[in-house]
Amino acid sequence: MTDEATAPPRYHLDSVERIYKLGPHTVRAVNDVSLDIGAGEFVAICGSSGSGKTTLLQLLGGLDRPTAGTLEFDGTAMQSMGDKEMTRLRGGSFGFVFQHFNLVPTLTAEENVEAALATAPGSRAEHRLRAAE
C-alpha cells in the first residue's frame, strides 16, 4: 500500500500549452506548464488578470484540451479521452465552483451541491450524504 508521499501524482502536466486563434492573432493562454499535483495536495494558482489562470483550471477540469504537451489525471492522458469518457471523468472526479458561481440562489450551498449530483450514480439519500460531506 502506498501513502500519499510515494504515490504517483493525480495530475501530471508536461509542457502543456493552450493556444487560441483570434482572427489573425495568436493568443498563448498557457505556455509550457509542467507540474505534478499529488492526491490531497492543496494548490493555489495566482497571477495577474489575463495570465492564464482560468484557462489552466479549465484544462485541469477537463473543460478544455491542451494544444500541445501532456496532461494526465491518474495516469491517463486527458487529451486522448473521447467526449463521453471526459464527461464521466468530470462527473465522477471533479467539482467546480465557477468564477460567476452558477448557483441556484434560492438553494443553500448544500442543496446546490446535491443538485449537481442529480445525474451522478447513487440514490438520492447517497447524494444527500455526499453533499453534507
Side-chain angles (χ1 to χ4, degrees):
M1 181 177 213
T2 59
D3 62 15
E4 288 181 13
T6 60
R10 295 292 313 258
Y11 281 102
H12 172 73
L13 287 76
D14 185 27
S15 301
V16 169
E17 295 185 358
R18 182 60 175 107
I19 299 169
Y20 297 99
K21 298 279 187 184
L22 295 174
H25 304 287
T26 299
V27 176
R28 194 173 292 274
V30 173
N31 186 29
D32 195 29
V33 173
S34 297
L35 74 123
D36 290 328
I37 302 172
E41 189 172 358
F42 185 85
V43 177
I45 300 174
C46 304
S48 59
S49 180
S51 64
K53 302 178 301 290
T54 298
T55 302
L56 180 58
L57 288 171
Q58 289 173 335
L59 292 169
L60 291 170
L63 297 172
D64 198 0
R65 297 176 190 259
T67 308
T70 303
L71 170 56
E72 295 178 358
F73 179 76
D74 280 347
T76 301
M78 291 172 66
Q79 65 269 22
S80 66
M81 291 179 166
D83 290 341
K84 286 183 181 179
E85 191 178 10
M86 187 64 77
T87 298
R88 278 193 297 277
L89 178 66
R90 281 192 305 266
S93 298
F94 306 140
F96 299 96
V97 177
F98 292 95
Q99 190 167 1
H100 297 287
F101 300 118
N102 297 327
L103 300 175
V104 180
T106 57
L107 300 180
T108 66
E110 189 171 314
E111 289 168 336
N112 269 281
V113 171
E114 190 176 340
L117 293 171
T119 59
S123 68
R124 187 165 184 201
E126 290 169 323
H127 293 166
R128 192 170 290 127
L129 286 172
R130 195 167 166 200
E133 289 176 359

